């Protein structure tokens, strides 16, 4: 079931025109940047977007303009786990697993514990009103978020929201869904 939902939504996302995608991106970013969640956060956890995801490079640049810290995950493809490291420039990145960019420097002074990340932007493909998501199928974020206690948000187009996703005991929901139309606080 999850596989079919993921596949259908990826086809829909890949089929968007450049203009439509840019318009949705702009509205999602506007809602994020105007939110209390964003304005009260100093350390932002985010992945580098990869087609067809919504653009996170602009989010990183906006965070730097506002003197926020940006931490990016490094993935371990043997254990399907992640650790987040500070970057100060896009030059601090290299291509990592799955062709997704990761921090070059993974030193202790650049490592950020979960508790120090104020706002985690969680990627996904399909979402439901309870904040559950279908990602890309490896479970990295569900493992990481298992004991993450700060705000978790997902960025999505309104059409990526469905009534209910089949879940299991390992699935972790986000607290807020930030769409191109509005911000939805999850009520679980």
């Amino acid at each position: 079931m999850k596989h079919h939902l993921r596949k259908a939504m990826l086809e829909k996302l890949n089929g968007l025109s450049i203009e439509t995608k840019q318009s949705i991106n702009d509205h999602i970013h506007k809602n994020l940047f105007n939110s209390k969640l964003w304005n009260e956060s100093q350390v932002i956890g985010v992945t580098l977007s990869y087609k067809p995801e919504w653009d996170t490079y602009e989010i990183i640049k906006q965070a730097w303009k506002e003197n926020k810290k940006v931490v990016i995950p490094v993935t371990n493809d043997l254990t399907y786990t992640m650790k987040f490291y500070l970057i100060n420039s896009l030059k601090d990145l290299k291509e990592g697993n799955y062709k997704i960019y990761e921090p070059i420097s993974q030193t202790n002074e650049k490592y950020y514990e979960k508790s120090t990340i104020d706002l985690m932007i969680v990627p996904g493909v399909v979402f439901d009103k309870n904040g559950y998501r279908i990602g890309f199928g490896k479970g990295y974020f569900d493992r990481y978020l298992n004991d993450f206690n700060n705000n978790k948000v997902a960025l999505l187009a309104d059409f990526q929201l469905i009534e209910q996703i089949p879940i299991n005991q390992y699935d972790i929901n986000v607290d807020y869904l930030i769409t191109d139309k509005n911000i939805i606080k999850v009520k679980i």
Side-chain angles (χ1 to χ4, degrees):
M1 178 74 161
K2 283 186 178 183
H3 171 75
H4 296 297
L5 288 168
R6 179 186 303 114
K7 184 177 180 203
M9 190 60 70
L10 285 171
E11 287 174 7
K12 189 168 188 173
L13 288 165
N14 283 318
L16 294 175
S17 70
I18 293 170
E19 297 79 17
T20 299
K21 184 159 186 172
Q22 188 59 54
S23 175
I24 293 170
N25 246 326
D26 292 347
H27 285 93
I28 290 170
H29 289 165
K30 180 180 175 195
N31 287 338
L32 172 64
F33 299 147
N34 289 329
S35 73
K36 185 176 178 183
L37 291 163
W38 176 265
N39 291 309
E40 291 182 354
S41 297
Q42 288 306 306
V43 179
I44 311 296
V46 63
T47 58
L48 280 296
S49 53
Y50 189 77
K51 189 179 178 187
E53 295 176 301
W54 303 110
D55 180 25
T56 58
Y57 287 85
E58 288 304 314
I59 292 169
I60 292 165
K61 291 173 188 172
Q62 183 65 32
W64 287 334
K65 281 182 195 170
E66 296 180 28
N67 294 313
K68 296 179 188 291
K69 292 183 171 138
V70 176
V71 294
I72 305 291
V74 172
T75 57
N76 180 321
D77 62 347
L78 297 176
T79 59
Y80 297 114
T81 57
M82 302 185 297
K83 289 185 176 182
F84 281 77
Y85 294 88
L86 179 71
I87 64 165
N88 295 308
S89 162
L90 294 177
K91 293 177 183 170
D92 294 345
L93 301 168
K94 65 175 180 175
E95 189 174 293
N97 294 321
Y98 314 104
K99 298 187 182 211
I100 298 170
Y101 282 86
E102 298 182 342
I104 294 168
S105 179
Q106 298 167 22
T107 59
N108 284 341
E109 67 269 8
K110 292 196 173 202
Y111 171 70
Y112 272 64
E113 292 282 345
K114 291 178 188 184
S115 61
T116 64
I117 302 171
D118 301 316
L119 181 65
M120 182 63 68
I121 299 174
V122 182
V125 179
V126 183
F127 304 85
D128 74 14
K129 63 182 180 178
N130 294 317
Y132 288 102
R133 58 188 250 306
I134 297 173
F136 292 91
K138 300 290 184 192
Y140 284 94
F141 268 90
D142 289 323
R143 283 179 192 84
Y144 188 84
L145 297 174
N146 185 43
D147 58 353
F148 184 84
N149 296 316
N150 293 329
N151 287 315
K152 304 176 296 288
V153 303
L155 309 178
L156 60 144
D158 201 55
F159 66 78
Q160 287 176 273
L161 187 60
I162 65 172
E163 189 63 29
Q164 188 171 16
I165 288 173
I167 61 170
N168 63 44
Q169 72 268 27
Y170 303 111
D171 291 329
I172 305 293
N173 65 322
V174 297
D175 305 306
Y176 295 88
L177 300 165
I178 299 180
T179 78
D180 52 320
K181 307 273 189 242
N182 56 19
I183 298 174
I184 302 164
K185 181 171 180 12
V186 173
K187 296 179 175 116
I188 282 190

